[in-house]
Amino acid sequence: MIGLHLDWQGASPDPGLVNRFTRSLAVGIDIAVGHHRSDGALFAAQCAGPGQARGWRPAIAPCGTQILFDGYLDNADTLRRDLRSDARDPATLYALGYARWADAVDLRAIGQFATIAVRPGERQVRVARSPLQAPPLHVWHDRDRVIIASTARILFAGDGIMPEIDEQKIADSLYLNYKDEERGWYRGVRRIGIGAQVIITPDGMTSRRYYDIAALPAVRLKRDTEYVEAANALLLEGTKAALQGFDRPAISLSGGLDSQAVAASAVTALGSRPLLGLTGVPEAGWDGIDHPAFFGDETAHVAALSALYPTLETETIDAAGLSFDHKLPAMFLMAGTAPRNTMNLHWIHALRARAKARGCDVLLLGAAGNFSFSFDGRGAHPGWLLSGRWRRLVRELNAVRGHHSLVRSIASHALLPLLPDGTYRRWTGLPPSRDDTPPASWCPLDPAYAREMNVRDRARALGHDISFRAPRSSRAARAAAFAGAMREIGDIRQGLDLIHGIPSRDPTAYRPLVEFCIGIPDDQYLRDGESRWLARRMLRGKIPDMVLNETRRGRQAADWAIRIGRDRAALIDELDTLARDPAMARRLDLPRLRAALAGWSPQDAAGTEAVNLIQYALPRAIATARFIRFVEGSNVG
């Protein structure tokens, strides 16, 4: 993590500010922090140890610019060759690249990083984040000073700046709208966007988006097999980059294609070195019910993979006794957010804690696989219709339409996503767009508060579709994914890494792999009715057939009813306490949440509005309320 406190007039920070600012970088974790003062600027960064912290300085480019760097580089060897440097420190490599290539450095450098650049004597700061995914950066500024840091709480170490909740962010997030990327969780605090370069001066901020998924070039190869070979090579390349510098890796391993693909690539890259696979499984006593589209226990799928690879050791984690609120205060402190997928946090924390306890020094993930090599082809049908590839469209629809007519299949699969919103809603039976009542099954907002905060119109203006309609093209599907909830990943993943003291790496988010996968034709993903066709060809012989041929998805937190049922009485009491707080009662539809919880039994059938409300809306409502009270310094009880 990094931080900068700069007085525009060049006044030197006093010792009290230096102490507060540097100590805030180490709150909640046992880590050394180095700092340096220069021309009214206070630079700070986490360091490997006290010795490094004592002599720490920001990297300095040949042009004199001082650079703070947070994150990692996947192509450090290439940069060293191009820059004719033997520098090992990524900050130094980035500084040299900035001096050589200026703004183009953020495209020449491949990895996940965030940077702050200050040139002595100039009243401006340059800030940037890498494309696709990056560590977070938060900014507070006025005409006297600018403060930039990896977490928003560090900003409040400055004099006279108090944390206040951004009410609009709260409302938008409970509406699942994360499209306003620069809006932070605190009033007056802005976030730097993914793939953006920002110049900050005493007069304000100017942001430029230098990376756009929609503008990526098409990739065309001669034969189908060439796409498979290229994707496999890039996945292995990304996996090797993710493992660079680590000795004892673990992987968050499921029964799905993505993490199993990463595990297979990691085993290849590691050679004789071991890989620990950790799998979250339901707690004993869960209902054991599998649905046509989902299965709850992925143990058998993981065991089948382990049988193929002697160096892969697997272990299941049931997170017994934990629930969605496990380590929530730590997440508030270290991530500075109200987590979105709250009901999954218990097993994620338990898995990371186990990796650390087993002595692992990195945790591999496969979170971006659905948007890279294992994309399912969503948006291909309307894309073919718009591009005039009607023969391909008809061929694919004939493969799946069953007893439906071809005309009906074209209308529902290809034409429907292209229709105007009003027509689409009438066709699908959705309420008209003028209905601003929050969706009853997943949104905990009070209707009056939702109208007051204008969440419906903001969602529409920002391109957030609460009807979750099919995308207009495959590229639009990927762009929406990286522009939506994935924008929150930087803060959440940073918080998890810090809490458990183990970094995470995702080879499926390796930029060359993602760009290749976005650029190739849709028929590489959807062929003769078979979705995820690229991944299934890539992984044939590398993962078990039962996984390769699986059409269901793993059901995360399949045991949620046990966990919420165990805390039901306490949660009802908490809802009653929140109802006595006028501000909370204004934000949340507490009577509806309480009625659903009070009338619910863990044995109730899934899929009803009340059950969905408890499973999806209740944990987010509670977590958000606790986050607000954490920031405000009040207690729930």
Side-chain angles (χ1 to χ4, degrees), residues 447-620:
Y449 176 74
R451 289 189 291 272
E452 175 189 343
M453 302 307 296
N454 201 27
V455 294
R456 183 200 62 178
D457 290 342
R458 281 181 53 79
R460 182 183 301 156
L462 291 165
H464 172 62
D465 177 24
I466 65 163
S467 63
F468 306 107
R469 60 189 291 180
R472 297 171 61 89
S473 69
S474 63
R475 187 163 295 206
R478 261 80 71 89
F482 282 104
M486 291 190 77
R487 286 176 169 166
E488 302 294 318
I489 280 182
D491 289 296
I492 297 299
R493 191 168 291 167
Q494 175 180 263
L496 290 168
D497 288 358
L498 291 171
I499 289 168
H500 297 286
I502 180 170
S504 56
R505 298 286 188 269
D506 186 353
T508 66
Y510 180 55
R511 181 154 65 90
L513 173 65
V514 175
E515 292 176 341
F516 171 82
C517 291
I518 289 176
I520 68 178
D522 289 341
D523 62 14
Q524 292 301 313
Y525 298 107
L526 187 60
R527 180 73 66 88
D528 296 328
E530 184 175 5
S531 66
R532 308 179 88 183
W533 192 53
L534 177 66
R536 297 186 199 281
R537 288 176 293 152
M538 289 172 59
L539 301 176
R540 191 168 292 123
K542 297 182 179 182
I543 67 173
D545 286 346
M546 71 177 296
V547 177
L548 195 66
N549 299 324
E550 181 66 78
T551 58
R552 302 169 299 167
R553 292 182 180 271
R555 182 172 149 227
Q556 295 181 337
D559 55 1
W560 69 268
I562 290 178
R563 300 179 190 275
I564 288 185
R566 187 163 48 222
D567 298 333
R568 176 179 168 184
L571 290 171
I572 289 175
D573 287 345
E574 186 168 346
L575 291 173
D576 289 340
T577 299
L578 292 173
R580 293 192 290 272
D581 181 335
M584 293 297 181
R586 169 174 155 263
R587 297 180 182 109
L588 302 170
D589 194 345
L590 296 170
R592 184 164 61 95
L593 291 169
R594 191 192 191 285
L597 188 57
W600 168 75
S601 166
Q603 287 74 44
D604 287 351
T608 66
E609 182 177 296
V611 170
N612 286 342
L613 191 68
I614 295 167
Q615 182 178 1
Y616 301 117
L618 177 69
R620 283 192 292 113

Side-chain angles (χ1 to χ4, degrees), residues 210-543:
Y210 69 89
Y211 187 87
D212 182 6
I213 285 177
L216 292 175
V219 177
R220 297 294 181 265
L221 304 177
K222 291 182 179 180
R223 293 180 294 274
D224 288 338
T225 54
E226 292 182 24
Y227 292 104
V228 175
E229 292 165 0
N232 266 324
L234 287 169
L235 178 58
L236 181 59
E237 185 179 290
T239 304
K240 288 180 177 178
L243 291 167
Q244 188 68 34
F246 298 107
D247 296 319
R248 184 70 175 95
I251 181 171
S252 178
L253 183 59
S254 74
L257 297 181
D258 301 335
S259 65
Q260 296 225 347
V262 173
S265 292
V267 167
T268 300
L270 290 166
S272 61
R273 293 162 56 197
L275 174 67
L276 175 64
L278 298 172
T279 303
V281 297
E283 186 175 345
W286 75 294
D287 60 25
I289 298 174
D290 287 335
H291 301 277
F294 300 96
F295 61 102
D297 190 343
E298 303 176 70
T299 303
H301 294 68
V302 170
L305 180 72
S306 180
L308 294 179
Y309 297 106
T311 57
L312 173 62
E313 176 192 355
T314 58
E315 182 178 338
T316 57
I317 309 294
D318 66 3
L322 305 182
S323 193
F324 69 88
D325 59 351
H326 180 59
K327 291 190 178 294
L328 263 184
M331 287 297 292
F332 298 156
L333 178 66
M334 306 310 296
T337 71
R340 179 180 187 266
N341 294 322
T342 313
M343 199 61 235
N344 285 326
L345 285 179
H346 64 280
W347 68 263
I348 293 174
H349 281 301
L351 189 150
R352 284 177 174 257
R354 185 57 180 162
K356 183 67 174 179
R358 288 290 304 270
C360 296
D361 56 0
V362 68
L363 180 68
L364 299 179
L365 309 171
N370 286 337
F371 313 117
S372 57
F373 74 93
S374 71
F375 183 62
D376 60 7
R378 278 172 295 162
H381 296 114
W384 288 326
L385 180 65
L386 285 174
S387 63
R389 298 192 65 195
W390 299 325
R391 182 175 297 179
R392 167 59 60 187
L393 173 62
V394 169
R395 174 178 170 174
E396 291 303 328
L397 290 178
N398 279 332
V400 298
R401 65 186 176 88
H403 65 277
H404 295 297
S405 70
L406 179 60
V407 172
R408 180 185 176 92
S409 294
I410 290 174
S412 59
H413 291 281
L415 183 60
L416 187 60
L418 305 175
L419 295 176
D421 185 68
T423 307
Y424 175 86
R425 288 177 173 274
R426 286 193 296 272
W427 188 318
T428 57
L430 290 170
S433 58
R434 64 179 179 274
D435 181 4
D436 55 4
T437 302
S441 62
W442 56 261
C443 183
L445 286 172
D446 178 85
Y449 176 74
R451 289 189 291 272
E452 175 189 343
M453 302 307 296
N454 201 27
V455 294
R456 183 200 62 178
D457 290 342
R458 281 181 53 79
R460 182 183 301 156
L462 291 165
H464 172 62
D465 177 24
I466 65 163
S467 63
F468 306 107
R469 60 189 291 180
R472 297 171 61 89
S473 69
S474 63
R475 187 163 295 206
R478 261 80 71 89
F482 282 104
M486 291 190 77
R487 286 176 169 166
E488 302 294 318
I489 280 182
D491 289 296
I492 297 299
R493 191 168 291 167
Q494 175 180 263
L496 290 168
D497 288 358
L498 291 171
I499 289 168
H500 297 286
I502 180 170
S504 56
R505 298 286 188 269
D506 186 353
T508 66
Y510 180 55
R511 181 154 65 90
L513 173 65
V514 175
E515 292 176 341
F516 171 82
C517 291
I518 289 176
I520 68 178
D522 289 341
D523 62 14
Q524 292 301 313
Y525 298 107
L526 187 60
R527 180 73 66 88
D528 296 328
E530 184 175 5
S531 66
R532 308 179 88 183
W533 192 53
L534 177 66
R536 297 186 199 281
R537 288 176 293 152
M538 289 172 59
L539 301 176
R540 191 168 292 123
K542 297 182 179 182
I543 67 173

